[in-house]
Amino acid sequence: MTTNKELWENVLTELELSLSKANFTTWFRDTHIVRTDDGTVYLGVPNQFVKDWLASKYHKLIVASLRKLDESVRAVEYAISRGPAKRETQKAAPLSGGQELPLESVHAQTNLNPRYTFDSFVVGSFNELAHAAAQAVIRKPGIAYNPLFIYGPTGLGKTHLTQAVGNHFKAMAPDRKVYYATSEKFSMDYVSSMQAGKVHLFKEKYRQYDLLIMDDVQFLSTREKTKEEFFHIFNYLHDSNKQLVFSSDQHPNVIQNIEDRLKSRFSAGMIVSVTKPDKESRLAIVRTKAANQNFDLSDEVVDYIADTIEGNIRELEGALNTLICQAQLKDRVLSLADVKTLLRTVGQPKKAVSVREIIKAVADFYGVEEGSIYEKTRRKEVVKPRQIIMYILREDFRVSFPTIGDKLGGRDHTTVIHSCEKIREDLKTNSALGQEISQIRLMLK
Amino acid sequence: MQVEVASSDLKTAVGIASRFVSRTAALEALRGILFIAEGRTVTLRATNLECGVEISIPAKIGDGGLVAVPGSTLSSLVSNMGGNGKVTIATTGNLLTIKTEQASSNIKTLAHEDFPILPTVSGEHSFSVKASEFAKTLRSVAFCASVSGIKPELQSVLVSAEAGTLSVAATDSFRLAEKKTPLKGVEIPRLLIPIRNAAEMIRLLEDGSGETEVYYSTDQLSLRVKDAYFTTRLIDGTFPNYKTLLPSSYSTEAVVLREDLSQALKSLSLFADSYAQVGLSVEPKKKSVTFSARNTDVGEHTAQLSAAAQGESLEMNFNGRYIADALGSITSESVRLGFNGVGKPLAMMPAGDTSFVYIVMPMNR
């Protein structure tokens, strides 16, 4: 099947022959098919002049040419749309040498990047809950889920989602105050306000917002005074039904050095996770990102990218950018073989982790003595970490059962098999365990 | 076609229409002005597909019809036409004969079948404004619009209205102007009028008297002034949310006489460097605002203006031309200058009037 683009190009070739050059370039430049719907072709034209003229003068000709190539075409509608934007690439006139007004990119007052919108957000099974929660927050800010806490590994769109909430909120209610800050920025603000002796201004500033978004709250954990200030601001905003949105790379319960009073406050609203995208979602993401950049990719290439790069959306985007850049440089369509060579270096190499490191990480995570893992004890608080270690060694590192038993203080391989089975079974019912294990995996990276 | 019109009417109409003629269009018809003789009027139409105009003039019509003639030839011919009497316009074959009491010329015509129709705005969105007021409002900010095409949304004048106030604004990202006037009972969404078209619209509105009805859709805006119908496309884009950039308070303020400032800037312009950079220092204690400019090839100049000033003293650099530009829109006797420290824009307003504000960013030294 021909795409809309090809169809329209064929129509244009035909029209070019039947019209004078001047007429053709004047009226058909920058036209394109926006979409086709049940036999109706929606034609995008640059402005009203062209719309009226095509409709009154060339309508029959356009319909006839379209039908010649595609018999299912029944009608043609015209719509004004800028279409595949051809932005002029001329350089800014260096007439001023002055500083520029902070008009765009980052809205001075909200700190939001307008690029992050819901339109550009790909929803899949891996993030649909987070997306739905964000939507609910927008519909009923301050009431639906307050605070909204989104957590998950890096590069999965947490920032995109939280900023999209802000941008959407801002667009809906331009007079309401929205602010986006990373926890780093928040701390810096606090420290510099202390230095300037203007802590009251800091407090006022953060208490005025109707929607406060804070990214990467896990970094708050080391700063005692900042945390305290954050706690008060949180309470103030939450009590006045102002919406709060947070993101972090960990579940609030496992962020270290965060007091229980903060943890319980984070948990008061809604805690949702974004996980790694599945294959279908990765395919959708690659397609969307490629379409956004007007870059054509064959299905097998899309499939290959989605297969090779698992997990991180940022890496997917990076790989895609590499391909686009190469395609532009070489000025040709990349074959699958090209893509394979190009992407060989992109995938993240698996880091070598020693068994000892894993044991230490898990023991630390559950707060047990590293040494007790090797002992013959059957205390409950030791057994669970030990089983998890076995499970991770088996699942993630493909270590043989006898070796695992050997490394963990000379245990029989049947014990190891039993442990792995047990964790696997537990995982089916116990979601908290799943979270713990994914946290541990994160720490091992 | 065979018609008779008053020479003065023709001159005015061709004068206006020729401004809309596109001289370089690939489509020949667009380089022309179309005459439509029908009923008791001759209507002249011209468009460059960005904006377009139709002007009707009363005529004695012997024979109706359509004809298109090259705009540049016609406008040069008509503007040099002597006499105040009648002009006879008639077609023979592919020639248009224009005959006055003293002279007669034959102009080759263009294919009028190719001449586009002007869009009419459908839908019921409209508002009514006093033409001359609207022109003045638009003109007071239009000079700020960007000349570069990199950001089409800045190559425009923003028009919007809510809560009884009509706001217009323009910016080229180095400076920004906003003007507000009362406009009762209508809400207008943000409309972006391309700056070149806005300039033509302003010229037309300035000729008008009384109320003008403005119609708009999401893509197009039209209005009627006297016997002229004007239409322009609107830019599909988002104008920056500039309101947040307008300072609400100032750490330093100074009020100077407009005349003093204007004279000082003229002298300074002789000495400013190629970036038109002038230094500005405010000293509230000395009740003065001092401007200085230096050019290694010419020399240097300092001008101290007496001012009613308060707040912290400061020193900054600005593009002198940008400051001078604002004086075209500030007509009050004195000008209020507001600062918020280094790196923050300078605000200029007419003293005692909040309807106009102009902000300009400082220059880096």
Side-chain angles (χ1 to χ4, degrees), chain A residues 20-27 29 45-58 79-83 86-110 170-171 173-176 198, chain B residues 26-28 30 47 49-52 113-120 147-155 171-176 217 219-220 231-233 235-237 240-242 244-245 274-275 319 321-322 343-345 359-364:
Chain A
S20 76
K21 188 168 185 300
N23 265 312
F24 178 77
T25 49
T26 308
W27 302 115
R29 189 179 51 200
V45 297
N47 62 42
Q48 189 85 35
F49 290 93
V50 178
K51 182 179 165 183
D52 289 2
W53 195 245
L54 291 187
S56 69
K57 184 110 183 189
Y58 294 118
I80 296 167
S81 95
R82 210 133 47 118
K86 270 191 222 145
R87 282 229 159 182
E88 291 175 51
T89 46
Q90 72 196 80
K91 263 314 241 172
L95 60 130
S96 151
Q99 295 174 29
E100 289 198 34
L101 291 160
L103 291 175
E104 53 166 4
S105 64
V106 173
H107 286 302
Q109 288 244 315
T110 63
K170 189 77 194 162
D175 51 327
R176 308 281 288 278
K198 286 176 177 167
Chain B
L27 189 65
E28 218 179 22
L30 294 180
T47 177
L49 298 188
E50 282 270 318
C51 58
E113 299 80 21
D114 285 349
F115 209 96
I117 35 179
L118 292 189
T120 45
V147 286
S148 124
I150 295 177
K151 296 175 190 152
E153 67 274 17
L154 296 191
Q155 236 180 343
T171 179
D172 62 1
S173 82
F174 298 107
R175 69 272 185 62
L176 181 150
S217 66
D219 315 297
Q220 197 78 13
T231 186
T232 169
R233 77 180 175 95
I235 292 175
D236 168 28
N241 198 4
Y242 68 93
T244 59
L245 299 176
S274 55
Y275 292 114
N319 184 325
R321 225 160 13 210
Y322 285 175
K344 295 281 162 56
I359 57 174
V360 51
M361 284 302 278
M363 291 178 88
N364 305 314

Side-chain angles (χ1 to χ4, degrees), chain A residues 395-406:
Chain A
E395 286 290 305
D396 296 10
F397 299 94
R398 300 265 156 236
V399 184
S400 72
F401 291 124
T403 318
I404 296 175
D406 202 37

Side-chain angles (χ1 to χ4, degrees), chain A residues 100-162:
Chain A
E100 289 198 34
L101 291 160
L103 291 175
E104 53 166 4
S105 64
V106 173
H107 286 302
Q109 288 244 315
T110 63
N111 220 2
L112 289 165
N113 185 337
R115 200 165 63 92
Y116 292 122
T117 61
F118 280 116
D119 294 340
S120 52
F121 192 79
V122 179
V123 185
S125 58
F126 65 106
N127 62 6
E128 62 186 345
L129 185 61
H131 181 258
Q135 293 285 357
V137 161
I138 286 169
R139 275 194 297 277
K140 285 183 178 174
I143 301 164
Y145 303 117
N146 200 12
L148 174 65
F149 195 104
I150 300 171
Y151 75 99
T154 178
L156 293 181
K158 294 189 299 291
T159 301
H160 190 150
L161 193 58
T162 51

Side-chain angles (χ1 to χ4, degrees), chain A residues 240-396:
Chain A
S240 14
N241 280 334
K242 303 295 170 67
Q243 180 68 42
L244 295 144
V245 176
F246 301 109
S247 85
S248 155
D249 63 357
Q250 293 170 313
H251 190 280
N253 286 345
V254 294
I255 302 177
Q256 289 174 353
N257 298 323
I258 285 228
E259 294 93 337
D260 288 343
R261 56 175 189 196
L262 263 183
K263 282 181 189 170
S264 75
R265 276 175 176 75
F266 282 142
S267 318
M270 170 90 161
I271 301 180
V272 286
S273 70
V274 286
T275 51
K276 292 186 175 179
D278 48 32
K279 173 88 184 286
E280 286 71 30
S281 305
R282 291 203 297 276
L283 287 172
I285 291 165
V286 174
R287 288 219 178 84
T288 315
K289 303 254 179 207
N292 283 346
Q293 308 226 31
N294 278 330
F295 185 66
D296 280 334
L297 280 177
S298 68
D299 283 350
E300 51 176 10
V301 172
V302 174
D303 204 66
Y304 178 77
I305 299 174
D307 260 341
T308 338
I309 297 156
E310 297 173 25
N312 194 322
I313 298 173
R314 206 173 282 141
E315 278 171 23
L316 275 179
E317 210 171 354
L320 191 63
N321 285 338
T322 316
L323 295 183
I324 293 174
C325 178
Q326 284 290 338
Q328 281 168 352
L329 273 177
K330 293 183 176 156
D331 200 22
R332 66 182 164 88
V333 179
L334 297 175
S335 68
L336 185 58
D338 290 334
V339 174
K340 279 186 179 162
T341 358
L342 281 170
L343 294 189
R344 194 169 295 152
T345 49
V346 176
Q348 202 178 32
K350 274 227 161 36
K351 204 174 102 184
V353 187
S354 75
V355 176
R356 278 212 53 173
E357 277 176 273
I358 294 169
I359 294 169
K360 184 169 171 0
V362 177
D364 283 355
F365 187 83
Y366 288 102
V368 295
E369 284 284 320
E370 203 185 324
S372 60
I373 300 283
Y374 302 103
E375 287 166 13
K376 294 272 175 206
T377 168
R378 291 243 184 115
R379 274 185 300 149
K380 203 176 158 212
E381 60 264 34
V382 184
V383 170
K384 186 180 164 196
R386 195 188 286 140
Q387 288 176 336
I388 287 176
I389 292 168
M390 292 175 181
Y391 174 79
I392 288 178
L393 283 173
R394 180 65 196 165
E395 286 290 305
D396 296 10

Side-chain angles (χ1 to χ4, degrees), chain A residues 3-75:
Chain A
T3 65
N4 285 340
K5 199 176 162 194
E6 286 162 359
L7 174 64
W8 187 239
E9 270 167 14
N10 292 337
V11 171
L12 287 181
T13 322
E14 188 148 314
L15 289 171
E16 195 168 4
L17 297 174
S18 55
L19 294 173
S20 76
K21 188 168 185 300
N23 265 312
F24 178 77
T25 49
T26 308
W27 302 115
F28 289 93
R29 189 179 51 200
D30 297 336
T31 55
H32 63 281
I33 295 179
V34 183
R35 63 193 167 93
T36 50
D37 185 10
D38 197 23
T40 304
V41 173
Y42 292 85
L43 207 56
V45 297
N47 62 42
Q48 189 85 35
F49 290 93
V50 178
K51 182 179 165 183
D52 289 2
W53 195 245
L54 291 187
S56 69
K57 184 110 183 189
Y58 294 118
H59 185 68
K60 275 188 187 153
L61 193 60
I62 293 168
V63 175
S65 314
L66 275 166
R67 291 204 61 161
K68 213 187 276 180
L69 295 160
D70 184 349
E71 283 173 8
S72 65
V73 173
R74 248 171 279 280

